[in-house]
Protein backbone atom coordinates (compact mmCIF):
# COMPACT_ATOMS: atom_id res chain seq x y z
CA UNK A 1 0.00 0.00 0.00
CA UNK A 2 2.80 2.41 0.88
CA UNK A 3 4.60 1.70 -2.40
CA UNK A 4 1.43 2.40 -4.35
CA UNK A 5 0.89 5.66 -2.50
CA UNK A 6 4.48 6.77 -3.11
CA UNK A 7 4.17 5.85 -6.78
CA UNK A 8 1.01 7.90 -7.09
CA UNK A 9 2.66 10.84 -5.34
CA UNK A 10 5.64 10.66 -7.69
CA UNK A 11 3.36 10.60 -10.72
CA UNK A 12 1.44 13.59 -9.37
CA UNK A 13 4.72 15.43 -8.80
CA UNK A 14 5.80 14.77 -12.39
CA UNK A 15 2.44 15.90 -13.77
CA UNK A 16 2.48 19.02 -11.60
CA UNK A 17 5.98 19.96 -12.78
CA UNK A 18 4.97 19.45 -16.41
CA UNK A 19 1.89 21.61 -15.86
CA UNK A 20 3.90 24.40 -14.25
CA UNK A 21 6.42 24.27 -17.08
CA UNK A 22 3.66 24.57 -19.68
CA UNK A 23 2.04 27.38 -17.71
CA UNK A 24 5.34 29.29 -17.62
CA UNK A 25 5.79 28.87 -21.38
CA UNK A 26 2.21 30.04 -21.98
CA UNK A 27 2.77 33.08 -19.78
CA UNK A 28 5.94 34.05 -21.66
CA UNK A 29 4.20 33.73 -25.02
CA UNK A 30 1.22 35.74 -23.74
CA UNK A 31 3.52 38.55 -22.59
CA UNK A 32 5.33 38.55 -25.93
CA UNK A 33 2.05 38.68 -27.84
CA UNK A 34 0.75 41.44 -25.60
CA UNK A 35 3.90 43.47 -26.19
CA UNK A 36 3.57 43.03 -29.97
CA UNK A 37 -0.05 44.23 -29.89
CA UNK A 38 0.87 47.25 -27.79
CA UNK A 39 3.68 48.14 -30.20
CA UNK A 40 1.30 47.76 -33.15
CA UNK A 41 -1.23 50.12 -31.58
CA UNK A 42 1.52 52.64 -30.85
CA UNK A 43 2.78 52.40 -34.44
CA UNK A 44 -0.75 52.91 -35.74
CA UNK A 45 -1.28 55.90 -33.47
CA UNK A 46 2.00 57.41 -34.63
CA UNK A 47 1.02 56.89 -38.27
CA UNK A 48 -2.35 58.54 -37.70
CA UNK A 49 -0.67 61.45 -35.92
CA UNK A 50 1.91 61.97 -38.67
CA UNK A 51 -0.81 61.98 -41.36
CA UNK A 52 -2.57 64.86 -39.65
CA UNK A 53 -6.27 65.32 -40.23
CA UNK A 54 -6.43 62.62 -42.92
CA UNK A 55 -8.58 59.68 -41.86
CA UNK A 56 -6.72 56.38 -41.70
CA UNK A 57 -9.02 53.48 -42.47
CA UNK A 58 -8.90 50.05 -44.08
CA UNK A 59 -9.35 51.62 -47.51
CA UNK A 60 -6.27 53.81 -46.91
CA UNK A 61 -3.89 50.86 -47.02
CA UNK A 62 -2.08 49.68 -50.09
CA UNK A 63 -3.78 46.53 -51.39
CA UNK A 64 -0.38 44.95 -52.03
CA UNK A 65 0.35 44.82 -48.30
CA UNK A 66 0.57 41.28 -47.01
CA UNK A 67 0.76 39.93 -43.48
CA UNK A 68 4.28 39.22 -42.25
CA UNK A 69 3.10 36.37 -40.05
CA UNK A 70 0.17 34.01 -40.14
CA UNK A 71 -1.35 32.38 -37.10
Amino acid sequence: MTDTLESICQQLDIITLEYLSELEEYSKKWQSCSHDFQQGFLDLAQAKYSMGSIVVSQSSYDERMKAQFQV
Side-chain angles (χ1 to χ4, degrees), residues 15-32:
I15 292 171
T16 302
L17 289 174
E18 288 175 1
Y19 171 75
L20 291 174
S21 176
E22 293 291 324
L23 187 61
E24 181 180 17
E25 183 178 342
Y26 172 79
S27 178
K28 286 179 183 178
K29 288 182 179 182
W30 178 262
Q31 288 175 350
S32 174

Side-chain angles (χ1 to χ4, degrees), residues 9-67:
C9 286
Q10 287 177 348
Q11 290 175 347
L12 284 173
D13 287 346
I14 290 170
I15 292 171
T16 302
L17 289 174
E18 288 175 1
Y19 171 75
L20 291 174
S21 176
E22 293 291 324
L23 187 61
E24 181 180 17
E25 183 178 342
Y26 172 79
S27 178
K28 286 179 183 178
K29 288 182 179 182
W30 178 262
Q31 288 175 350
S32 174
C33 185
S34 175
H35 177 266
D36 291 344
F37 274 116
Q38 287 176 350
Q39 188 60 46
F41 284 124
L42 289 174
D43 290 344
L44 183 59
Q46 183 179 10
K48 290 177 94 171
Y49 178 78
S50 67
M51 291 184 72
S53 62
I54 300 173
V55 175
V56 177
S57 68
Q58 185 177 6
S59 61
S60 302
Y61 298 123
D62 189 352
E63 302 251 345
R64 296 173 292 173
M65 281 189 0
K66 301 292 179 198

